[in-house]
Amino acid sequence: MRLLAWPALLLLTAAAVLVALAAWSRGAKQREVGTLLIWRRVAQQVTAPRRKRREFDPLFWLLLAAVAVGSIAASRPAWFTAAPQARVAVYLESTGPGEPLELDDARARAQAAAPGAELTFFMAGQEITPGSLRAELAQFETRARDYDGRILLLNQPSDEATLVLPRVGKARAGVVFKLAGDRRELLVQASAGGEVRLQGAGLASSSTREGVTTLRFEPTALELVLTDAGSRRVYRRKPFVVGTGESWNTEAHAALLQALEADPAEGAAPAVWLGSTEQKPAVRMNTGAPAELRGASLSFDPRHPLFHDLPLAQYDWLAGGRLLAPEEDVQPLLTAVVDGVPVGDLARLRDGGRVLEFAGDPFSAAAVADAALLLDNAIGVVAGTRPSERPGYELAEGDPLPTRGQATAAPFETQGKLDLSRRSAEPVEFAGWLMALAGLLLAAAAVLAGRGKALRG
C-alpha cells in the first residue's frame, strides 16, 4: 500500500479547524426566568462542581467524515501489483536525413527480441532531440529508466550494456557522406558498392578502401548536381566577380587580377571594384597628392585586417611620394608622421568602410607574392571576405548529408542481452471509491442541513 500523492493529507488540517469551530464557546444566552430558578442554580454551583459537556450534532460528524475521506482519497492510496507484460524501451538510430530506412523491418527485429513485451519506440526528432549518438543515447537512458528493459538498434556495433541489434538488414551502398573542397577540386566520399554521379564536374580519380569510396572531381560549373543511392542534392557556388576601373591598368595589376581567379560577370554584380573612382565597394590607388616624405615615420595598427600576415618590413610605403590630406569622416589605417605630428595618410577607409584608398600604388611596387597578399587583405576589408577564404560549394537543394556511420550502416552480430527478470509494478488505486464516499457524505450533510433549516422555519 502506497500513497501516490501523500501531500494531499495536509487537507486533514481542515478537520482540526472544524473541531475547533464546533467546540468554540458561543457565549451566554439571554432568557427570562423567575428569581426562584436563579437561586436554585446558585445553590447547585456552590454545592456541586460545575461540569461542562459539548454536544456535536450529526451535521458536524458528517462534515468531519467527508473531509477525512476526501483527504485520504486525494492522497491516491494504491496497491502495487506486477505488470502483466514487460515494458521495453527501444531506441532507433537514424539512418540519415529524411525518412528512416527499413523502419518496419527494425520494428520486427525488436519484437522478435522481446516477444510478448510492450514496446515503446524512441527516435530522434520525436521523443529525442536530434544530436550526436552519445547525446541521443543519454536522453534515451533518462526517458527509459522506468522500463523493464532497453533495446538499441544501431548502425554500427557498440559496447553498450544492453541488447544491441543492427539497425539495417543489409549494408548500404553508394551513400555519400562527405563533399568538401574548393573551386579547383572536390572530394566526395561514399559507402562502397554504389554509383555516385556529380553533374557539373569531371572525375579526376577514384579509389576504394575499408568500405569507403573516395572520388576526386574537378568542378566546371557554378552548380553541381550530386546523385547517389536514392537521393539528389544540388550544390551552388556563389560567383566571385571583380570589376576594374581606369587606374587598374599595369602589367602587375593584370597578373594580380588573373591570380584572383575571378568568375565571369555574366550579369552578376562585382563583389569589389579595383581602381574605380565611381563604383563601390572599391580599392582605389594613386588618390593622393605628391608630397615630400623624407624623414617621415609610419603610424598604424598591425592588428588591422589590412596587415594580416603581411611582411611589413618589406614594404616601402613612402616610396610612392604621395600623401592623402587629413579629412574628417575617414578612418586612417596608415599615417605618415613627421617630428611626432601626423601629416597625412597613406591608406584609409571612407564611406563606412566600403572604399579603401591608397595614396600611391603599393601593388605595382611590391613583389608579386607580397602584392597578392596585400590585395587579398584589401578586398577582404571592403568586401567582408578575403578571396582566399571565400566559401566553396554549398547545399542549395535536398537534405543534408548523413554521417559516416549512417552512410556505412551494415548488419552485425547481436550484442548483449535483454534481462526481463524483474517487472515494473502497476498501481491499483482506490481514490475513485473514496471520492464517491466523500461525495455521499457531503450529500447527506446537505440533506440534514436542509431539514434543520426547515424545522427552524
Side-chain angles (χ1 to χ4, degrees):
M1 185 74 172
R2 285 176 55 186
L3 299 179
L4 302 181
W6 64 265
L9 292 179
L10 295 176
L11 291 175
L12 286 177
T13 56
V17 174
L18 286 176
V19 174
L21 292 176
W24 190 266
S25 177
R26 299 181 181 179
K29 295 182 179 179
Q30 294 182 355
R31 183 186 302 174
E32 295 180 1
V33 297
T35 58
L36 180 60
L37 179 61
I38 296 175
W39 287 111
R40 287 179 178 177
R41 290 287 181 89
V42 171
Q44 291 177 357
Q45 292 179 0
V46 173
T47 59
R50 185 177 181 181
R51 293 180 297 176
K52 293 184 178 180
R53 181 181 179 183
R54 292 290 180 184
E55 294 183 359
F56 301 105
D57 54 21
L59 178 61
F60 166 77
W61 293 112
L62 286 174
L63 291 176
L64 188 62
V67 170
V69 173
S71 300
I72 297 174
S75 65
R76 298 176 60 193
W79 289 104
F80 280 81
T81 59
Q85 60 180 155
R87 298 172 60 244
V88 178
V90 182
Y91 168 75
L92 294 175
E93 183 183 1
S94 173
T95 54
E99 292 297 326
L101 298 178
E102 303 180 3
L103 184 57
D104 294 337
D105 183 55
R107 292 178 183 272
R109 286 198 298 275
Q111 292 171 353
E118 178 186 350
L119 302 182
T120 302
F121 292 87
F122 294 82
M123 299 177 61
Q126 297 180 12
E127 298 83 1
I128 296 178
T129 304
S132 64
L133 178 60
R134 183 181 297 274
E136 291 184 6
L137 287 178
Q139 297 179 62
F140 171 72
E141 290 294 332
T142 301
R143 287 163 173 76
R145 61 176 177 269
D146 295 330
Y147 286 77
D148 301 320
R150 294 181 293 276
I151 298 177
L152 306 179
L153 279 88
L154 305 180
N155 294 321
Q156 306 292 337
S158 175
D159 56 356
E160 295 290 336
T162 184
L163 181 62
V164 180
L165 303 177
R167 175 66 175 83
V168 297
K170 59 181 180 180
R172 305 185 68 185
V175 179
V176 176
F177 60 86
K178 180 178 181 180
L179 187 148
D182 52 27
R183 62 196 316 272
R184 297 185 185 89
E185 183 182 66
L186 289 175
L187 174 69
V188 177
Q189 288 187 312
S191 55
E195 181 182 5
V196 177
R197 292 179 296 175
L198 187 61
Q199 182 180 348
L203 180 62
S205 65
S206 175
S207 62
T208 301
R209 182 180 180 183
E210 297 181 354
V212 175
T213 298
T214 301
L215 307 170
R216 297 186 182 276
F217 291 90
E218 295 179 353
T220 58
L222 294 177
E223 181 176 285
L224 306 177
V225 179
L226 176 65
T227 306
D228 62 358
S231 63
R232 179 181 182 274
R233 298 175 178 86
V234 177
Y235 291 84
R236 293 192 182 98
R237 179 171 61 83
K238 185 177 180 180
F240 177 69
V241 180
V242 177
T244 58
E246 57 278 3
S247 60
W248 193 266
N249 50 22
T250 67
E251 292 183 0
H253 293 161
L256 292 174
L257 180 61
Q258 184 177 4
L260 289 176
E261 296 183 344
D263 296 305
E266 296 180 356
V272 64
W273 289 85
L274 303 178
S276 174
T277 58
E278 301 294 335
Q279 288 84 3
K280 302 173 186 178
V283 178
R284 300 172 181 174
M285 298 83 60
N286 294 323
T287 57
E292 178 60 42
L293 300 177
R294 184 176 300 175
S297 60
L298 300 177
S299 174
F300 61 95
D301 182 4
R303 297 171 297 179
H304 193 274
L306 180 63
F307 309 110
H308 179 69
D309 291 337
L310 199 65
L312 298 175
Q314 300 182 23
Y315 272 88
D316 187 2
W317 299 98
L318 303 175
R322 290 178 174 271
L323 200 62
L324 293 165
E327 292 184 21
E328 296 182 356
D329 299 329
V330 297
Q331 179 186 352
L333 301 180
L334 188 63
T335 303
V337 179
V338 177
D339 296 332
V341 178
V343 295
D345 301 324
L346 296 169
R348 67 188 181 189
L349 286 171
R350 65 185 314 134
D351 293 340
R354 300 188 63 204
V355 176
L356 174 60
E357 294 181 326
F358 288 100
D361 183 3
F363 305 107
S364 298
V368 175
D370 297 336
L373 180 56
L374 177 61
L375 180 60
D376 190 52
N377 291 346
I379 293 177
V381 169
V382 297
T385 303
R386 300 167 62 186
S388 60
E389 297 176 347
R390 61 182 182 266
Y393 289 87
E394 299 178 348
L395 181 65
E397 299 176 17
D399 295 324
L401 292 173
T403 64
R404 178 168 182 159
Q406 293 169 342
T408 58
F412 54 85
E413 293 294 330
T414 301
Q415 298 177 314
K417 62 180 181 178
L418 184 64
D419 183 9
L420 298 180
S421 58
R422 292 186 299 176
R423 298 283 181 88
S424 57
E426 291 185 347
V428 179
E429 297 190 39
F430 306 101
W433 295 101
L434 293 176
M435 280 294 184
L437 178 59
L440 291 176
L441 292 173
L442 289 175
V447 172
L448 185 61
R451 287 182 177 179
K453 183 176 181 181
L455 292 176
R456 288 193 299 270

